[in-house]
Amino acid sequence: MEDSKLPLSLRNNLLDLFSQIEREFENLYIENIELRREIDSLNERLTGDGQTVEGGDPSKGVLKTKASHSTSQLSQKLKTTYKASTSKIVSSFKATTGSRALCQLLKEYVGHRDGIWDLSVARTQPVVLGTASADHSALLWSIETGKCLLRYAGHAGSVNSIKFHPTEQMALTASGDQTAHIWRYMVQLPAPQPPPDVSALCDDDQDSSDREEGEVDGEGLCEVPTVRVATTTLKSHQGVVIAADWLVGGRQVVTASWDRAANLYEVETSELVHTLTGHDQELTHCCTHPTQRLVVTSSRDTTFRLWDFRDPSIHSVNVFQGHTDTVTSAVFTVGDNVVSGSDDRTVKVWDLKNMRSPIATIRTDSAVNRISVSANQRIIALPHDNRQVRLFDMSGVRLARLPRSNRMGHRRMVCCTAWNEENQSCNLFTCGFDRQAIGWNINIPALLQEK
């Protein structure tokens, strides 16, 4: 390979593809050995049945027929298995090459000193990316340039979530210090730069993949403006505040905590309006409906709950038990759906008008973390413990997988995803334990056309 005339990026892509094919064949080889053992065992049992029959049992004809039928079924099972296995190799190969064309890594946001738990995109101008990290800080980034614009350092614990106000330059962060903070920001976007050369990005990936643990990119954060004091501090919880979100209109917020409760606050007065109790274990997430006064909370107790505040005089709650392990997140779509993800390796799509059973179930090979759904195209992005990020439509059809190799994508667990509907270059963001956020360009028209 030293004398190869192939470009380095192409060589790396080929090596990555061949290594994936090798792993697929290795898995099939192991499955083949197990199947052969099973065949031998079944043949021994069938032979034993045949010898007993020849001993003079009057029902031997029936037994022979059953044995023959069993052998036929086994043969058919083997054919189906091998077809599925071969199909798996081919589909894996296609998905990898297709994903590279449909999903391109455009920008890396590096500067946090610990894992990133959550990220969000501002809904007002200037449109910035916000990240929440275990390093006790939240950072605001220029989406186009990847430059850090502002640091929020008001929390005394891990910052577990970040959400932007719907109409003002304010952010809401939840923390392990048992509080949620509302803080104002003012940032100026740097001058736009020429679009990155994606092929060069594959060649010169050292800036992310080969970086030593703890190494901070570029100038570091010493020159970044820092906000240290919150405009409003919400502190009624008795445990870690794991998530928070703005209700429609931005005059109230909801927080979710490990103390098994969710709280509803008035922003202007910091007054606690409601304490939402009922979950049997720690809460993992909360989300608000984009246009209605609805809240959904998820929990380690394997359930998620829908809270209805549309009638000021009463608030009702519905409990949903569709999962068998921790529900890591449940989110609303722009329409009348809720999408829930779980450590039980499934994602379920629910209809708000009839939530007795899911209208679609997506089964995966790894625990699912904080999911997000694009508002315009209704595409579900699933971040996994195994570093994968997969895209599905609302009916559960798999659309693509983001590229992942030693030199591209996340190197550790992916915690969260967020869509950016206003930006056609970076329109999906991911973050994880590897201390970085990544901006991706998803060719959505081509993605939907391939489906």
Side-chain angles (χ1 to χ4, degrees):
M1 290 293 288
E2 293 298 327
D3 299 328
S4 173
K5 299 296 188 286
L6 293 173
L8 181 60
S9 60
L10 183 57
R11 285 171 56 191
N12 288 334
N13 284 346
L14 286 171
L15 288 171
D16 181 41
L17 290 171
F18 286 132
S19 65
Q20 290 190 48
I21 293 171
E22 182 183 4
R23 285 196 297 272
E24 293 283 1
F25 274 109
E26 184 180 4
N27 291 335
L28 286 172
Y29 179 74
I30 294 170
E31 288 178 16
N32 187 33
I33 292 173
E34 293 299 322
L35 283 169
R36 286 184 181 280
R37 286 178 184 163
E38 188 177 341
I39 291 168
D40 291 341
S41 173
L42 286 168
N43 278 337
E44 285 176 11
R45 282 196 294 174
L46 290 172
T47 303
D49 287 344
Q51 288 172 348
T52 305
V53 168
E54 294 301 324
D57 192 324
S59 61
K60 63 182 179 182
V62 177
L63 287 173
K64 277 185 178 177
T65 304
K66 284 185 179 178
S68 173
H69 181 61
S70 298
T71 307
S72 172
Q73 281 185 322
L74 177 62
S75 173
Q76 188 60 41
K77 179 183 175 183
L78 287 172
K79 286 179 184 177
T80 306
T81 302
Y82 277 114
K83 279 183 182 177
S85 300
T86 307
S87 165
K88 186 165 64 173
I89 293 178
V90 175
S91 66
S92 175
F93 185 82
K94 283 183 177 177
T96 304
T97 54
S99 293
R100 289 186 186 280
L102 298 171
C103 312
Q104 293 183 340
L105 185 154
L106 288 187
K107 188 65 65 178
E108 293 171 322
Y109 306 85
V110 180
H112 279 293
R113 298 179 181 274
D114 208 336
I116 303 175
W117 291 118
D118 194 24
L119 44 67
S120 182
V121 179
R123 292 183 272 179
T124 58
Q125 295 294 334
V127 178
V128 295
L129 173 70
T131 53
S133 170
D135 66 8
H136 298 195
S137 75
L139 300 181
L140 303 188
W141 307 83
S142 162
I143 291 174
E144 302 296 338
T145 68
K147 179 181 179 182
C148 183
L149 305 174
L150 183 141
R151 177 173 180 255
Y152 179 69
H155 284 291
S158 169
V159 185
N160 300 321
S161 82
I162 180 168
K163 288 289 184 292
F164 290 98
H165 191 278
T167 58
E168 299 182 42
Q169 292 185 29
M170 292 195 296
L172 168 66
T173 48
S175 173
D177 63 13
Q178 303 187 4
T179 70
H181 289 182
I182 297 171
W183 44 278
R184 291 189 175 272
Y185 63 88
M186 290 185 63
V187 294
Q188 185 171 356
L189 295 180
Q193 296 179 345
D197 183 348
V198 176
S199 61
L201 203 155
C202 294
D203 287 344
D204 302 326
D205 238 23
Q206 192 277 334
D207 62 334
S208 67
S209 301
D210 300 334
R211 185 181 296 109
E212 294 295 327
E213 286 291 331
E215 189 178 338
V216 177
D217 183 61
E219 317 158 16
L221 298 176
C222 54
E223 298 179 3
V224 173
T226 301
V227 175
R228 300 184 185 277
V229 180
T231 307
T232 303
T233 300
L234 308 173
K235 48 184 180 181
S236 300
H237 284 292
Q238 305 302 312
V240 167
V241 184
I242 197 64
D245 202 359
W246 304 87
L247 266 74
V248 58
R251 288 177 294 186
Q252 292 181 322
V253 299
V254 63
T255 57
S257 171
W258 284 5
D259 65 9
R260 306 183 184 184
N263 286 343
L264 185 69
Y265 296 92
E266 287 287 347
V267 170
E268 189 175 344
T269 63
S270 307
E271 178 189 356
L272 176 62
V273 180
H274 288 297
T275 296
L276 313 178
T277 58
H279 281 292
D280 294 330
Q281 294 187 44
E282 297 94 331
L283 273 64
T284 57
H285 193 238
C286 64
C287 180
T288 60
H289 194 281
T291 61
Q292 302 182 63
R293 290 175 53 79
L294 298 171
V295 174
V296 63
T297 56
S298 53
S299 170
R300 288 174 55 89
D301 64 10
T302 76
T303 73
F304 65 94
R305 291 176 177 239
L306 177 65
W307 310 82
D308 189 343
F309 296 100
R310 288 174 292 188
D311 185 337
S313 60
I314 59 170
H315 66 275
S316 62
V317 59
N318 291 290
V319 184
F320 302 97
Q321 300 174 319
H323 292 282
T324 59
D325 205 338
T326 297
V327 182
T328 50
S329 65
V331 300
F332 292 102
T333 69
V334 170
D336 289 326
N337 296 111
V338 173
V339 184
S340 59
S342 171
D343 279 348
D344 66 9
R345 303 182 179 186
T346 68
V347 172
K348 296 178 186 288
V349 181
W350 309 79
D351 186 344
L352 274 174
K353 296 174 183 175
N354 179 13
M355 303 221 8
R356 285 175 294 187
S357 61
I359 57 176
T361 297
I362 300 167
R363 303 190 186 281
T364 71
D365 59 356
S366 181
V368 181
N369 296 314
R370 288 185 180 176
I371 58 181
S372 63
V373 182
S374 67
N376 296 340
Q377 302 296 336
R378 291 161 63 83
I379 297 174
I380 309 167
L382 310 184
H384 293 284
D385 279 0
N386 65 2
R387 299 165 42 210
Q388 297 277 13
V389 180
R390 295 183 175 93
L391 306 180
F392 289 81
D393 69 11
M394 294 293 288
S395 61
V397 174
R398 177 174 162 176
L399 301 177
R401 184 188 73 196
L402 298 193
R404 190 202 73 178
S405 68
N406 291 333
R407 302 183 64 82
M408 182 182 291
H410 289 285
R411 292 161 292 156
R412 298 176 69 183
M413 180 177 85
V414 188
C415 299
C416 183
T417 59
W419 289 92
N420 178 18
E421 304 289 347
E422 304 301 322
N423 191 303
Q424 294 307 309
S425 56
C426 284
N427 51 15
L428 177 66
F429 297 95
T430 59
C431 67
F433 266 18
D434 56 2
R435 309 181 184 185
Q436 68 174 339
I438 297 178
W440 303 85
N441 171 248
I442 312 297
N443 188 339
I444 292 177
L447 197 72
L448 297 176
Q449 186 176 0
E450 282 214 350
K451 180 183 74 167

